[in-house]
Amino acid sequence: MSSAQQLLLTAIRCDIDNLTHLATTSEIVADISRFIHVLQRERGASTIYLVSQGSRFKTQRRDYLKHSQEAEILMRQRLEVLTQEVRPQGAARLLRRIAAVWNALDDIAALRSAIDLMAISPDAATQAFNHLISGLLAIVFEAADTSDDPEITRTLVAIFHLMQGKELAGQERACGAFGFTQGHFDKTHRQLLGQLVEDQQRCFDTFVEFATPDAELAWQQAVSTSTLTGIHQLREAACQSTSQHVTTNVLGETWYELTTLRIDALKIVEDALNTQLAALCYRKIAQAKAALEHAKAKPGPHTPAPCEQLLALSPTQPLGDLTASALTSPLGRSLIELTQAQSSRLQGLSDELENTRKALRERKLVERAKGLIMAHQSMTEEEAYRFLRKTSMDQSKSMADMAQAILDLSSILKKA
């Protein structure tokens, strides 16, 4: 076997290892998706339980807690696989994200105990759940950022934004459950509800941008019109500044039921995407293994290379004629066409991967700039986003360029 063939086989085996790691990662994403879903239910039930001083949703919370614990065990088992397998170089950040979440998972028992004892406020409990779920979503984001395959990356990006939008819908469910169960919404919770609705839309818009046509169709058909209408009516009632006290807790449970129907429908789309991702990974692994077997196969009868054909021609033939003959021969033309086609295909894959990576990098810049604005200007996340958007429009810059300028300025001020 020649050195060139050995290098080719090694390259294909590296591709298979990377794809196998991505397949494992896709299974982890599916497990995280299941755990987040039941954790979101537990969060909403815990909110109603705390607001009602333990008189409502006691049974539901106990059931959801059990489901969360079962899903957590399965997810931990899958995460532990990453400590044993061969990993690509870019997986270090992913492992750090998982390590951080692992510590947060160890603290969840204390949170549940505080809820049992009514030793924590509904808002504080919600924030604790939000923090854990945010860490879990960061694992999915990191998985998308470390993928080297454009098609798999696009699918992971779509899944991440769908999961993030669904998480914001879960936070909206908890916020609405607080207000409707309490009997009224104060200014803070009215503003939070409106902000969560806007943030969801941005996430879902990005999801549609990266989703496959089948996933987009499933998304459009996911939630019934009657459910959306009911949620919209309750949103309007909650966001009225003159919201009056409600004498019963019926609206709290109605709100929880309607928003749960919507979130469960989004979970069906999410599951379909996870199934597509797993199938995509294993299909690419099969293709890579087939390519490996083809490359390992014994070569057929020896065919002179183009240079050998040149040397076999008459020595009296001018070099220009030899080159022209080689380039115009059927073999030469097929090699040129093959090279051009391969180059075009690789360039297309490279461009697609770079576009996806660019979108991820720009998102990180915007998030960091928002955090800086929130810290220095005492703004909420929504106010910081609007400030960044308006400033970029006023200065005719993209959001990413404006975010980078803010971060650069912060770095200069720190040095000064």
Side-chain angles (χ1 to χ4, degrees):
M1 182 183 297
S2 67
S3 296
Q5 190 175 15
Q6 289 178 340
L7 288 170
L8 176 62
L9 296 179
T10 301
I12 296 175
R13 291 190 182 101
C14 287
D15 287 338
I16 293 173
D17 289 341
N18 289 337
L19 287 168
T20 301
H21 173 76
L22 283 174
T24 301
T25 303
S26 73
E27 293 170 349
I28 289 172
V29 168
D31 284 338
I32 290 175
S33 168
R34 283 189 289 271
F35 180 50
I36 287 178
H37 187 66
V38 293
L39 207 58
Q40 288 166 339
R41 285 186 171 184
E42 182 186 349
R43 175 182 57 196
S46 297
T47 299
I48 295 178
Y49 178 79
L50 287 170
V51 175
S52 66
Q53 293 295 305
S55 64
R56 309 188 74 83
F57 267 58
K58 183 176 182 179
T59 302
Q60 291 95 324
R61 175 178 172 264
R62 184 170 59 246
D63 291 341
Y64 295 154
L65 191 153
K66 180 182 177 182
H67 297 159
S68 295
Q69 291 171 330
E70 292 171 350
E72 179 185 346
I73 291 171
L74 293 175
M75 185 188 68
R76 283 180 182 265
Q77 291 173 347
R78 188 85 70 182
L79 291 176
E80 287 176 348
V81 172
L82 287 182
T83 64
Q84 303 168 3
E85 67 165 12
V86 177
R87 295 168 294 279
Q89 184 176 1
R93 296 194 310 273
L94 177 63
L95 295 178
R96 290 190 181 95
R97 293 283 194 186
I98 293 174
V101 168
W102 204 281
N103 290 329
L105 287 173
D106 291 339
D107 295 335
I108 196 173
L111 170 62
R112 288 167 174 158
S113 177
I115 295 172
D116 286 333
L117 299 172
M118 299 288 174
I120 187 172
S121 70
D123 282 341
T126 297
Q127 287 300 320
F129 279 112
N130 293 353
H131 178 73
L132 174 57
I133 294 174
S134 176
L136 292 166
L137 287 172
I139 295 176
V140 180
F141 180 82
E142 206 63 63
D145 198 27
T146 55
S147 169
D148 288 328
D149 183 279
E151 195 173 0
I152 293 176
T153 299
R154 288 185 66 87
T155 305
L156 279 167
V157 170
I159 289 173
F160 168 74
H161 283 92
L162 178 60
M163 291 178 69
Q164 188 179 40
K166 177 171 162 288
E167 161 56 11
L168 292 170
Q171 291 184 25
E172 183 193 9
R173 175 173 61 184
C175 179
F178 176 92
F180 285 118
T181 303
Q182 185 174 238
H184 72 281
F185 284 82
D186 56 28
K187 181 180 178 180
T188 300
H189 287 87
R190 284 199 305 271
Q191 291 177 343
L192 176 59
L193 203 66
Q195 176 184 330
L196 289 170
V197 173
E198 290 186 19
D199 290 346
Q200 285 175 62
Q201 191 57 50
R202 286 204 300 270
C203 289
F204 292 142
D205 287 344
T206 307
F207 156 73
V208 170
E209 181 182 350
F210 284 90
T212 62
D214 289 343
E216 185 177 352
L217 180 62
W219 154 257
Q220 293 170 352
Q221 299 173 345
V223 187
S224 70
T225 304
S226 60
T227 299
L228 289 176
T229 301
I231 292 173
H232 181 68
Q233 291 173 347
L234 289 174
R235 282 174 177 170
E236 288 185 339
C239 291
Q240 291 176 0
S241 58
T242 57
S243 179
Q244 298 178 351
H245 286 262
V246 181
T247 56
T248 68
N249 295 322
V250 175
L251 281 183
E253 296 191 13
T254 302
W255 166 264
Y256 188 89
E257 181 181 351
L258 287 172
T259 50
T260 297
L261 286 173
R262 176 179 180 236
I263 291 171
D264 287 350
L266 296 179
K267 182 64 169 65
I268 293 174
V269 181
E270 196 173 285
D271 288 343
L273 267 176
N274 285 324
T275 301
Q276 291 176 17
L277 175 63
L280 177 62
C281 289
Y282 286 108
R283 184 173 75 246
K284 287 182 175 289
I285 291 173
Q287 291 171 349
K289 288 182 177 179
L292 179 64
E293 293 303 317
H294 179 74
K296 287 163 61 178
K298 293 181 180 180
H302 175 69
T303 302
C307 58
E308 293 176 323
Q309 292 179 339
L310 290 176
L311 295 174
L313 294 175
S314 169
T316 60
Q317 193 171 0
L319 183 58
D321 293 341
L322 294 176
T323 304
S325 297
L327 293 177
T328 56
S329 68
L331 175 61
R333 286 197 303 274
S334 65
L335 286 172
I336 292 171
E337 291 168 359
L338 177 62
T339 302
Q340 290 174 339
Q342 182 73 351
S343 175
S344 176
R345 174 178 171 274
L346 291 175
Q347 186 60 48
L349 291 174
S350 177
D351 291 345
E352 185 177 359
L353 179 59
E354 181 55 33
N355 288 337
T356 305
R357 287 279 177 84
K358 182 181 177 182
L360 292 169
R361 288 195 298 269
E362 290 180 349
R363 179 181 176 82
K364 285 183 176 180
L365 285 175
V366 170
E367 291 298 322
R368 288 173 57 197
K370 274 186 0 186
L372 198 62
I373 295 169
M374 291 165 64
H376 288 274
Q377 299 296 325
S378 299
M379 292 183 177
T380 65
E381 184 178 2
E382 180 62 22
E383 289 171 342
Y385 177 83
R386 288 177 178 172
F387 174 81
L388 183 59
R389 181 174 60 185
K390 184 178 184 303
T391 307
S392 63
M393 292 174 64
D394 291 344
Q395 299 191 19
S396 300
K397 291 183 177 181
S398 68
M399 290 275 284
D401 289 341
M402 194 67 242
Q404 184 63 64
I406 292 173
L407 294 172
D408 291 343
L409 181 60
S410 171
S411 177
I412 291 173
L413 291 175
K414 285 181 180 179
K415 291 179 181 178

